[in-house]
Amino acid sequence: MPEAPSSARQVGLPELFTGFLLIGMMGFGGIAASAHYVIVERNRWLDQREFVELFGICSILPGGNFLNATVMLGDRHQGVPGAIVGLTALLLAPLLILVGLAMTYAAYDHVPDVQAAIAGSAAAAAGLIIGTSAKLVASLKPGYASAFFGIATFLAVGLFRVPLIAVVLVIVPASVGL
């Protein structure tokens, strides 16, 4: 029988550390897909709906979405030490990997195969973002109002290049008011 989501159990500091370390190590091109896997599917810290709600809240807060989510989940389970342990674990592997890659790239950036690998990585990252977005939207089962505001946000930011802060200042109050 699968473990209950986090609302029914306490997650310890070692589990927070290893979970967020794994998210950080797997999160190339963005961590939405790896965070979903670790938080919802593997460790069952949250169920699908809780994850989508947390991601929604963290998306409108200043700063990185999953940095915010890490702080909130760490604090939920272990208070300030949990938030610190989660952030440290989340950032540790990417920091070390990034320093190593930056040093390597600086030495080999002129090589055509390296340039091709960078272009391929960008395409893979885009695919991960699209796949995770589809998974999140499917779990919401949006009504007409949600679909309207989602499409309006996409059009405003994605196609018409309206600044995100302006879109948030209009869309959030309008959707909450509706």
Side-chain angles (χ1 to χ4, degrees):
M1 180 173 191
E3 255 182 87
S6 69
S7 55
R9 69 182 182 94
Q10 193 70 3
V11 178
L13 288 174
E15 188 178 355
L16 285 171
F17 183 85
T18 56
F20 284 112
L21 183 67
L22 182 60
I23 291 170
M25 289 188 311
M26 292 175 21
F28 287 90
I31 63 172
S34 56
H36 180 270
Y37 168 74
V38 171
I39 293 170
V40 176
E41 296 173 18
R42 183 176 186 260
N43 292 339
R44 302 188 50 82
W45 293 345
L46 300 175
D47 62 27
Q48 181 70 17
R49 182 149 198 89
E50 290 172 321
F51 180 83
V52 171
E53 290 170 355
L54 178 67
F55 182 71
I57 291 168
C58 292
S59 295
I60 62 170
L61 295 174
N65 298 346
F66 283 101
L67 292 175
N68 294 336
T70 300
V71 170
M72 293 174 79
L73 279 173
D75 182 66
R76 174 190 283 187
H77 293 288
Q78 294 293 325
V80 173
I84 293 169
V85 164
L87 276 176
T88 300
L90 184 69
L91 298 174
L92 181 63
L95 179 65
L96 295 175
I97 292 168
L98 181 60
V99 169
L101 287 174
M103 291 169 50
T104 304
Y105 183 70
Y108 298 102
D109 65 339
H110 61 281
V111 177
D113 287 342
V114 171
Q115 294 171 350
I118 297 297
S121 297
L128 279 172
I129 291 168
I130 291 167
T132 300
S133 298
K135 197 183 272 190
L136 293 176
V137 168
S139 72
L140 286 177
K141 298 178 182 74
Y144 292 116
S146 298
F148 170 78
F149 286 113
I151 291 168
T153 302
F154 172 77
L155 291 173
V157 175
L159 295 181
F160 299 119
R161 305 287 188 209
V162 177
L164 183 58
I165 189 70
V167 174
V168 168
L169 290 175
V170 171
I171 295 284
V172 170
S175 65
V176 169
L178 184 65

